[in-house]
Amino acid sequence: MADKYKDKKALKNTAPVVTPAASEASYDDVKHEHRLYFNIVKKRYIWFVLSLILLIPGIISLFTQGLNLSIDYKGGSMFDIQFNEKVTQEEINQAMESVGLTGTVQLADGDTSAIVRTDALDQAKRDELLDAIQKQAGSFDMKNVEEQLVQPAIGNELKSGAMKSLAVASVLILIYVSFRFRFVYALSGVIALLHDIVITLGLFSLFQWEIDAAFIAAILTIFGYSINDTVVIYDRIRENERRMKKKDSFEDMVDKSVWQTMGRSVKTVCTVLIALLAIFLLGGESTRSFSLAMIIGVFFGAYSSICIASQLVVEIKKRTSGDNKKDNPVES
Amino acid sequence: MKRGNTLKLAIAVILVAVVVFFSIQPLTNSETGIPLGLDLRGGVHLVLQAETGKDGAAITNDDMDKARAVIEERVNGLGVSEPYIQTNYDKKRIIIELAGVNDPDEAVKVLQTTAKLTFRDPDGNILMDGSLLKNAQAAVDTSSGRTDYVVQISFTSEGTSKFADITTKYLGQKIGIYMDERKIQDPEVSVPIVDGQGQIQGYSSLEEAAQYAVMFRSGALPVSMSIVEKNQVGALLGADSLNKSLNACVIALIFIFLFMLVLYRLPGLVADFSLVVFSVIVLWVLYGIGTVLTLPGIAGFVLSIGMAVDLNIIVYERIKEELKLGKSLRAAVDAGFSRAFITVFDSNITTIFAALALFLLGSASIQGFAITLIVGIVASLFTAITFTRWVMRWIVGINPRMSKWLFGIKEVK
């Protein structure tokens, strides 16, 4: 595992401009500094298996029950009604039936508010429905009804727009990381972020949490965050790689790099989670699915940067260069 | 050197305090500050789709312009401040956003009325149509000694003579005012109106009179339009969302400030200070480019605070590492910043890419989120790399031999 990563050409391409260090921390220094130190690289198969265990139920659920799309994506009408007194589910259901509609009713706030979802209604039908609810279920102030209507055609546009933004973002990231590092890094990084996205989507599918328009923003931010986190570790690997000596192994160098950035990884994920938890707990109903997705994504983004992206780089390098000592590093 | 740094630091602190103090009012003023989206203040977002009529004739851009004019007229009649109306010619849509309306439901009803206004005799025969009406205004009439809410109408010259004939002929009878086939009013003619200035009485409030006046004025839409998207938030709910999200912001900020202080001590304090600068920059930029603040926007802001802190953490972790390697404070600070630069740059460019994709392809509310995130990242790059660096240098310059404990590491003998 010795000198094959010391190709001069590779170094020129990737060497960042840094002030020369008077000295650098040794692998042993780094090991000693962390009380909880263990070799992350050597245990990489454990992380791969763990990720599969996390991914598989989600993927199965995505294929079998799919996602619980809100009316933003599939079209429909939604009313959030604050009643002046308590109401029952039955009364509202009956009111809906009386005007020939079906849909779901969800009561909240001690049965004084209801979220009613049904097909996309035109203005006349909508008035008819609200009238019926007012008469048969309970009185409410029309001025304070929250209401959403999306025709199915618009929902489809939103869906295709969402897919496009995901594709564009992935390609941009893949190109940039390939350019700044190497293709192996970009590939591993993008696999790791797909891993985060699929876990998030999988959890939303498993628990059938509703997915609204802001969810796509959450997913794309997870994209940004996950790769951001990964790049910080890559950056340290790039730096340490330049300083590798003949007898050093690539695996140890990656392990050292991961642990050198561990403090930052943990602290950053904590601050971002503080911000997200505040939005989740205090931000009200409308940002809940957004912040929940972000919390899951950010958590797994940090995990995957350490345990998946960097470890995939190790794994791919090992497999593509084999154990035979050829003097060419893997690069794009 | 020493005194110079103290002075610079003191000036910076005072300057920031002054800027913050004088930023609060212009940014948060409900009239002229950062405009709030309708999810935060209540209102209606409507997307109207023009539909090809029965004759199958294609909808021209001219039709769209006319429809827009009619809608604009109706919106103005509603008295909404800063309505947002946009025409999408490709998709034949008109997007309307009315923030801060008290009764969004009524607004939708007024906008939706596509009907043609006609005046009819008691048997329902059309006498003249609304195109001859020049203007209609709600007013209060106290001439009879009591308060009457009325709609004052005026006619074009052609309309004046026609209406004079009608009111002479039907004196003492009722003239029906119809929208399509729907009779909306049935005023009795008490005197012939010959000068083209009339008034319709019998409204219970000025608001009601105003609603009718708008309907009379706006006439007919050239194409029929249907609502394909509607988002309606009551004012109370909007205010509730605003309070909740601001609460979330404040709590998040307090925790992040404390977190940085406990973790990094003196540099943590510097980070908190530069976070204040960061927030002020972001808010002014958002204000400057005229972004409307929405719920996703606030979420984007809070998230970008988290990312801004991350930059400081990357730098500080580097400084700590350099200190542990036995460098002097000043050298460690300089090395920390220059080494962290590439990391910070690379990692944030990738996030900007994701945000750009959102901005280019996302829907309106998501674009708000993307803009806040992009502005946030750029501003945090500036504050973390330059502003924090200056302040850290000044502090180290004041006393290059201060305890390393202040930097969050154990003192090494």
Side-chain angles (χ1 to χ4, degrees):
Chain A
M1 301 285 2
D3 51 350
K4 59 189 161 200
Y5 301 110
K6 292 205 69 195
D7 184 306
K8 284 278 190 281
K9 199 163 154 261
L11 295 183
K12 240 184 241 165
N13 283 343
T14 56
V17 189
V18 289
T19 52
S23 60
E24 67 172 301
S26 73
Y27 188 23
D28 284 330
D29 290 343
V30 175
K31 279 185 195 172
H32 281 300
E33 199 191 314
H34 294 272
R35 239 174 292 159
L36 298 171
Y37 173 82
F38 59 94
N39 194 319
I40 290 176
V41 176
K42 280 212 175 108
K43 293 196 169 64
R44 63 180 180 274
Y45 295 110
I46 297 181
W47 317 129
F48 294 161
V49 171
L50 186 67
S51 284
L52 284 178
I53 294 172
L54 286 166
L55 283 167
I56 290 168
I59 293 174
I60 292 173
S61 169
L62 279 171
F63 277 106
T64 52
Q65 45 180 356
L67 293 164
N68 178 11
L69 297 176
S70 75
I71 64 168
D72 293 328
Y73 293 100
K74 61 180 188 193
S77 286
M78 194 274 294
F79 305 91
D80 189 343
I81 305 168
Q82 316 281 324
F83 290 95
N84 297 329
E85 70 262 19
K86 281 192 175 187
V87 290
T88 67
Q89 193 122 9
E90 259 163 76
E91 287 169 339
I92 301 175
N93 276 330
Q94 277 165 9
M96 284 175 88
E97 274 166 35
S98 72
V99 291
L101 289 171
T102 53
T104 62
V105 178
Q106 196 185 324
L107 293 182
D109 295 341
D111 295 349
T112 57
S113 96
I115 297 171
V116 179
R117 292 184 177 84
T118 181
D119 301 334
L121 305 178
D122 61 21
Q123 192 72 18
K125 196 74 193 169
R126 165 210 180 266
D127 291 346
E128 208 183 319
L129 173 66
L130 288 181
D131 244 26
I133 292 177
Q134 186 124 24
K135 281 195 190 106
Q136 296 175 37
S139 64
F140 55 86
D141 184 1
M142 199 69 98
K143 282 185 187 176
N144 211 26
V145 171
E146 188 181 344
E147 193 182 338
Q148 217 187 337
L149 161 77
V150 181
Q151 296 290 350
I154 301 273
N156 281 331
E157 273 174 39
L158 190 63
K159 237 188 273 177
S160 65
M163 298 308 271
K164 265 187 225 157
S165 13
L166 281 178
V168 169
S170 318
V171 171
L172 285 175
I173 288 172
L174 197 65
I175 293 173
Y176 185 76
V177 179
S178 298
F179 170 71
R180 293 292 297 167
F181 296 87
R182 292 179 217 168
F183 183 68
V184 185
Y185 288 77
L187 185 69
S188 308
V190 170
I191 291 174
L193 72 87
L194 285 179
H195 158 275
D196 306 337
I197 302 296
V198 174
I199 286 184
T200 311
L201 285 174
L203 282 175
F204 268 75
S205 166
L206 267 180
F207 295 105
Q208 290 291 298
W209 290 324
E210 198 180 60
I211 284 176
D212 59 18
F215 184 81
I216 188 66
I219 290 290
L220 269 165
T221 316
I222 295 170
F223 252 69
Y225 179 84
S226 171
I227 197 75
N228 172 313
D229 207 37
T230 305
V231 165
V232 173
I233 298 177
Y234 280 0
D235 184 79
R236 189 55 74 106
I237 295 177
R238 180 169 62 185
E239 189 184 320
N240 285 335
E241 197 177 355
R242 287 188 325 129
R243 298 185 182 134
M244 273 174 66
K245 303 208 171 63
K246 280 199 172 180
K247 57 182 186 342
D248 297 344
S249 88
F250 187 72
E251 273 126 84
D252 287 349
M253 187 274 290
V254 170
D255 193 54
K256 177 183 164 188
S257 308
V258 166
W259 279 102
Q260 275 182 312
T261 48
M262 189 61 83
R264 175 264 167 192
S265 301
V266 173
K267 284 162 194 163
T268 297
V269 86
C270 285
T271 38
V272 176
L273 283 181
I274 289 174
L276 290 170
L277 269 174
I279 305 180
F280 180 71
L281 296 175
L282 306 166
E285 199 60 49
S286 21
T287 42
R288 195 141 295 167
S289 106
F290 168 83
S291 47
L292 182 61
M294 290 284 300
I295 287 171
I296 297 169
V298 162
F299 179 80
F300 283 103
Y303 157 80
S304 76
S305 304
I306 295 169
C307 297
I308 303 297
S310 321
Q311 309 317 322
L312 276 177
V313 171
V314 172
E315 192 63 26
I316 295 174
K317 281 218 172 203
K318 203 175 175 192
R319 290 190 182 266
T320 49
S321 56
D323 280 331
N324 51 341
K325 303 217 167 191
K326 261 193 278 169
D327 198 3
N328 62 333
V330 182
E331 58 179 309
S332 57
Chain B
M1 183 70 193
K2 194 174 161 185
R3 194 166 292 166
N5 284 314
T6 318
L7 196 66
K8 279 181 200 159
L9 194 63
I11 290 174
V13 172
I14 292 168
L15 208 63
V16 169
V18 168
V19 169
V20 169
F21 183 77
F22 284 105
S23 295
I24 294 172
Q25 217 278 330
L27 290 174
T28 57
N29 186 302
S30 59
E31 298 293 317
T32 55
I34 298 179
L36 298 176
L38 54 86
D39 52 355
L40 294 177
R41 58 193 285 212
V44 202
H45 166 94
L46 277 180
V47 179
L48 298 179
Q49 174 86 57
E51 281 166 348
T52 322
K54 287 184 194 111
D55 52 356
I59 300 153
T60 63
N61 287 353
D62 190 43
D63 287 337
M64 294 303 293
D65 287 338
K66 273 189 198 151
R68 185 198 163 120
V70 171
I71 285 169
E72 240 164 34
E73 171 70 15
R74 288 179 182 172
V75 168
N76 292 337
L78 288 168
V80 181
S81 65
E82 290 175 58
Y84 168 89
I85 305 171
Q86 194 192 29
T87 318
N88 183 334
Y89 293 107
D90 292 337
K91 291 180 173 155
K92 310 289 177 210
R93 283 181 194 152
I94 294 177
I95 299 138
I96 307 160
E97 245 168 49
L98 311 173
V101 284
N102 289 327
D103 193 344
D105 208 30
E106 273 309 306
V108 173
K109 280 190 180 130
V110 171
L111 289 177
Q112 255 259 306
T113 321
T114 56
K116 199 170 178 181
L117 187 72
T118 49
F119 296 89
R120 305 185 189 197
D121 71 12
D123 300 325
N125 302 309
I126 296 173
L127 301 169
M128 64 185 286
D129 71 40
S131 61
L132 301 176
L133 198 66
K134 199 164 79 187
N135 201 3
Q137 288 289 331
V140 182
D141 182 11
T142 50
S143 56
S144 59
R146 57 200 164 95
T147 309
D148 277 331
Y149 300 103
V150 300
V151 172
Q152 292 170 335
I153 50 176
S154 60
F155 292 92
T156 60
S157 55
E158 191 192 340
T160 303
S161 60
K162 223 170 181 178
F163 202 63
D165 291 348
I166 293 167
T167 45
T168 315
K169 191 176 166 193
Y170 292 96
L171 190 64
Q173 296 185 48
K174 285 181 172 176
I175 293 183
I177 303 174
Y178 285 71
M179 274 287 173
D180 256 345
E181 294 311 309
R182 187 166 69 94
K183 192 198 288 181
I184 52 171
Q185 281 246 273
D186 215 7
E188 195 178 301
V189 182
S190 47
V191 283
I193 297 163
V194 291
D195 59 352
Q197 304 282 333
Q199 127 173 341
I200 303 169
Q201 295 170 332
Y203 301 98
S204 62
S205 68
L206 190 61
E207 284 72 35
E208 192 191 347
Q211 294 280 339
Y212 281 101
V214 172
M215 249 190 267
F216 296 160
R217 273 204 305 269
S218 43
L221 284 170
V223 283
S224 91
M225 307 211 78
S226 68
I227 300 179
V228 285
E229 204 186 323
K230 171 165 131 176
N231 212 331
Q232 186 171 318
V233 180
L236 279 177
L237 282 172
D240 188 42
S241 298
L242 181 63
N243 285 335
K244 277 184 182 159
S245 52
L246 288 184
N247 257 340
C249 262
V250 171
I251 298 287
L253 273 176
I254 291 174
F255 272 105
I256 289 175
F257 272 47
L258 286 177
F259 186 72
M260 289 303 280
L261 211 54
V262 171
L263 271 185
Y264 294 110
R265 294 163 198 169
L266 184 61
L269 187 66
V270 177
D272 289 347
F273 183 53
S274 74
L275 271 188
V276 173
V277 176
F278 161 82
S279 305
V280 171
I281 293 176
V282 171
L283 291 175
W284 274 109
V285 171
L286 292 179
Y287 175 71
I289 57 181
T291 320
V292 175
L293 196 62
T294 58
L295 273 181
I298 291 184
F301 179 62
V302 175
L303 189 66
S304 67
I305 290 176
M307 309 278 264
V309 172
D310 177 41
L311 299 193
N312 286 312
I313 291 179
I314 290 176
V315 172
Y316 291 166
E317 286 293 314
R318 275 290 189 173
I319 294 179
K320 270 168 95 171
E321 275 178 56
E322 301 289 331
L323 283 175
K324 280 177 194 154
L325 291 174
K327 282 196 183 175
S328 73
L329 267 185
R330 192 178 306 176
V333 166
D334 279 346
F337 274 98
S338 60
R339 279 162 170 265
F341 179 77
I342 301 260
T343 317
V344 161
F345 186 77
D346 273 342
S347 61
N348 282 281
I349 294 278
T350 53
T351 310
I352 287 189
F353 282 149
L356 267 181
L358 271 181
F359 179 70
L360 295 175
L361 302 160
S363 60
S365 69
I366 288 177
Q367 282 179 337
F369 171 79
I371 290 176
T372 353
L373 197 57
I374 292 172
V375 171
I377 292 171
V378 175
S380 65
L381 281 174
F382 167 74
T383 46
I385 291 171
T386 54
F387 186 77
T388 314
R389 186 179 202 157
W390 294 336
V391 177
M392 287 293 286
R393 274 191 178 159
W394 297 334
I395 287 179
V396 172
I398 292 171
N399 180 7
R401 292 185 191 286
M402 68 176 77
S403 162
K404 287 179 180 175
W405 179 87
L406 286 171
F407 283 75
I409 64 169
K410 287 187 200 113
E411 191 76 66
V412 196
K413 290 272 156 109

